[in-house]
């Protein structure tokens, strides 16, 4: 029996999960998260960008914290410094940058979500490129590489006292991970790969919440199909993550209808872990889900992307930033990490 299989059996016994009829052990609490993915921050700072509110220059993380945010999300790639990687020669979003950012997040007293892309570059529903170093491996060696990589990243974070509260085992994985091996067409194999990654997470700390993140914010049939397929194959996960971009995922009504159905159908709490538009409306939908199933949201790259809160000179748009001041009051968002 391979090591990750043994660990998975132990973890499932300890935390009592693994199918939709078991409530996660932490479900008695209902954390409230206002989060932001700011993975671009080290690159922006290296390019000389400074962030300002009311004419005062401050650390970007401090600004977000002061205006109601209590959680930060970071993406990590396997070898982003590779020629075909996300950041050739520079390695942004690699382990060393992640370690440095994790220290800043925890020093601010904020929660931390780590998003494994399991690729050297962007992973999303249209591409899940297998890391160059893992190409042409047998399935057993691929699983071993996935397990040991996931575990080694988390052990490095643990060693400096900055373990994430939540881990995504893949980014927008409704079409699978590690293509072509883990393509959704190979559903059984995909499930085994996810079990392997989850076992690695739980082997470092069984209290880390594991999220399955899909990009089906307004697509109910697709969301249910994926989640049911993983539950039927006994993939244990703690949280449902959704992306919501209206150009791809439908109207706000579609989002509300989908999330409301998922909240009544599954035991796992729900987080909209990527969005940018309709800031107030998306949060209103999530925080009004039945049975307090909506834990919160993460705005995607508010420092510089799409409907960004800061302009290209780093100056805050007060009308957008103050939405979060209001949301933090309306929904009684804890100032610091709500999962600690």
């Amino acid at each position: 029996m391979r090591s990750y299989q043994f660990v998975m059996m132990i973890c499932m016994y300890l935390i009592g999960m693994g199918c939709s009829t078991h409530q996660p052990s932490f479900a008695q609490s209902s954390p409230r998260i206002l989060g932001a993915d700011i993975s671009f921050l080290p690159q922006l700072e290296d390019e000389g960008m400074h962030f300002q509110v009311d004419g005062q220059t401050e650390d970007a993380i401090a600004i977000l914290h002061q205006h109601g945010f209590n959680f930060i999300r970071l993406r990590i790639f396997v070898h982003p410094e590779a020629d075909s990687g996300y950041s050739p020669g520079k390695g942004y979003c690699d382990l060393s940058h992640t370690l440095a950012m994790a220290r800043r997040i925890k020093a601010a007293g904020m929660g931390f979500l780590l998003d494994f892309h399991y690729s050297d570059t962007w992973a999303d529903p249209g591409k899940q490129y297998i890391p160059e170093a893992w190409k042409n491996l047998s399935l057993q060696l691929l699983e071993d590489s996935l397990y040991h990589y996931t575990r080694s990243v988390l052990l490095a974070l643990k060693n400096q006292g900055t373990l994430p509260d939540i881990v995504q085992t893949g980014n927008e994985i409704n079409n699978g991970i590690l293509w072509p091996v883990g393509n959704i067409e190979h559903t059984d194999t995909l499930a085994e790969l996810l079990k392997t990654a989850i076992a690695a997470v739980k082997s470092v700390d069984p209290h880390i919440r594991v999220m399955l993140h899909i990009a089906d914010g307004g697509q109910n049939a697709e969301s249910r199909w994926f989640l049911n397929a993983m539950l039927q194959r006994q993939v244990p996960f703690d949280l449902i993550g959704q992306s919501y971009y209206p150009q791809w995922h439908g109207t706000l009504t579609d989002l509300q209808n989908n999330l409301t159905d998922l909240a009544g159908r599954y035991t796992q709490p729900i987080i909209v872990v990527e969005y940018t538009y309709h800031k107030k409306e998306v949060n209103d939908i999530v925080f009004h889900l039945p049975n307090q199933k909506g834990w919160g949201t993460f705005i995607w790259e508010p420092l510089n992307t799409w409907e960004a809160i800061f302009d290209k000179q780093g100056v805050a748009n007060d009308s957008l930033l103050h939405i979060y001041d209001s949301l933090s009051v309306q929904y009684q968002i804890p100032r610091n990490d709500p999962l600690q």
Side-chain angles (χ1 to χ4, degrees):
M1 179 177 290
R2 286 174 243 164
S3 59
Y4 62 82
Q5 291 175 315
F6 175 76
V7 171
M8 175 56 73
M9 292 174 63
I10 296 299
C11 290
M12 289 175 66
Y13 174 78
L14 288 174
I15 64 178
M17 62 182 188
C19 71
S20 60
T21 59
H22 289 87
Q23 280 278 16
S25 59
F26 51 86
Q28 292 80 7
S29 63
S30 182
R32 292 181 177 264
I33 292 170
L34 273 184
D37 188 318
I38 55 171
S39 303
F40 277 127
L41 181 58
Q43 182 175 346
L44 296 173
E45 290 176 332
D46 286 352
E47 292 169 355
M49 192 169 181
H50 300 280
F51 297 89
Q52 300 177 43
V53 176
D54 299 328
Q56 300 294 316
T57 299
E58 294 189 59
D59 178 81
I61 294 174
I63 292 173
L64 294 175
H65 196 199
Q66 291 161 10
H67 289 272
F69 289 89
N70 62 4
F71 234 97
I72 298 296
R73 177 184 188 241
L74 300 178
R75 61 181 169 270
I76 187 169
F77 302 106
V78 178
H79 290 298
E81 74 284 357
D83 290 343
S84 59
Y86 163 80
S87 177
K90 295 183 178 180
Y92 290 112
C93 297
D94 64 0
L95 178 57
S96 63
H97 285 92
T98 299
L99 290 169
M101 282 289 287
R103 291 193 293 270
R104 294 172 65 177
I105 293 165
K106 291 297 185 178
M110 301 175 77
F112 173 28
L113 185 158
L114 183 62
D115 174 15
F116 283 99
H117 275 238
Y118 294 132
S119 179
D120 295 334
T121 189
W122 297 103
D124 57 47
K127 54 187 179 296
Q128 295 279 341
Y129 303 130
I130 196 167
E132 190 67 30
W134 299 358
K135 285 184 175 179
N136 303 316
L137 295 179
S138 67
L139 179 57
Q140 178 175 341
L141 288 177
L142 179 60
E143 289 180 338
D144 289 344
S145 297
L146 176 62
Y147 180 89
H148 291 296
Y149 166 71
T150 303
R151 180 175 164 82
S152 67
V153 167
L154 293 174
L155 284 175
L157 288 162
K158 182 177 183 178
N159 288 340
Q160 67 171 18
T162 60
L163 268 178
D165 305 276
I166 302 171
V167 165
Q168 289 179 221
T169 51
N171 186 74
E172 296 187 328
I173 64 171
N174 34 298
N175 288 330
I177 62 173
L178 299 171
W179 289 356
V181 179
N183 191 288
I184 191 63
E185 296 176 358
H186 310 298
T187 311
D188 290 343
T189 303
L190 170 61
E192 290 306 313
L193 290 169
L194 290 173
K195 289 179 185 178
T196 298
I198 293 166
V201 174
K202 299 293 187 177
S203 75
V204 175
D205 188 333
H207 298 99
I208 297 174
R209 281 78 165 179
V210 171
M211 174 189 290
L212 295 190
H213 171 207
I214 56 179
D216 287 325
Q219 286 82 27
N220 183 245
E222 292 87 342
S223 297
R224 288 166 53 187
W225 185 92
F226 182 89
L227 295 169
N228 288 342
M230 295 304 104
L231 289 167
Q232 288 164 6
R233 290 162 177 80
Q234 297 186 325
V235 176
F237 59 99
D238 305 310
L239 297 168
I240 296 169
Q242 285 275 14
S243 294
Y244 175 69
Y245 301 107
Q247 64 268 43
W248 296 307
H249 305 133
T251 66
L252 287 165
T253 300
D254 293 330
L255 176 69
Q256 184 173 24
N257 290 342
N258 179 37
L259 299 189
T260 299
D261 177 78
L262 301 185
R265 189 175 295 274
Y266 303 104
T267 62
Q268 290 83 355
I270 298 166
I271 296 174
V272 173
V273 77
E274 286 190 30
Y275 74 103
T276 185
Y277 305 110
H278 305 306
K279 294 171 170 57
K280 183 179 189 308
E281 294 84 351
V282 169
N283 280 278
D284 286 342
I285 288 170
V286 172
F287 287 120
H288 281 99
L289 289 178
N291 303 316
Q292 296 186 309
K293 281 294 197 61
W295 274 19
T297 66
F298 286 80
I299 183 173
W300 195 75
E301 291 292 0
L303 305 184
N304 72 321
T305 303
W306 292 341
E307 192 182 71
I309 293 175
F310 297 84
D311 67 19
K312 296 303 180 183
Q313 287 71 49
V315 178
N317 180 326
D318 286 347
S319 65
L320 295 180
L321 189 59
H322 291 323
I323 290 173
Y324 291 91
D325 291 307
S326 298
L327 288 169
S328 68
V329 172
Q330 179 180 358
Y331 293 113
Q332 301 179 357
I333 305 299
R335 174 168 174 76
N336 293 330
D337 185 347
L339 297 183
Q340 292 297 313

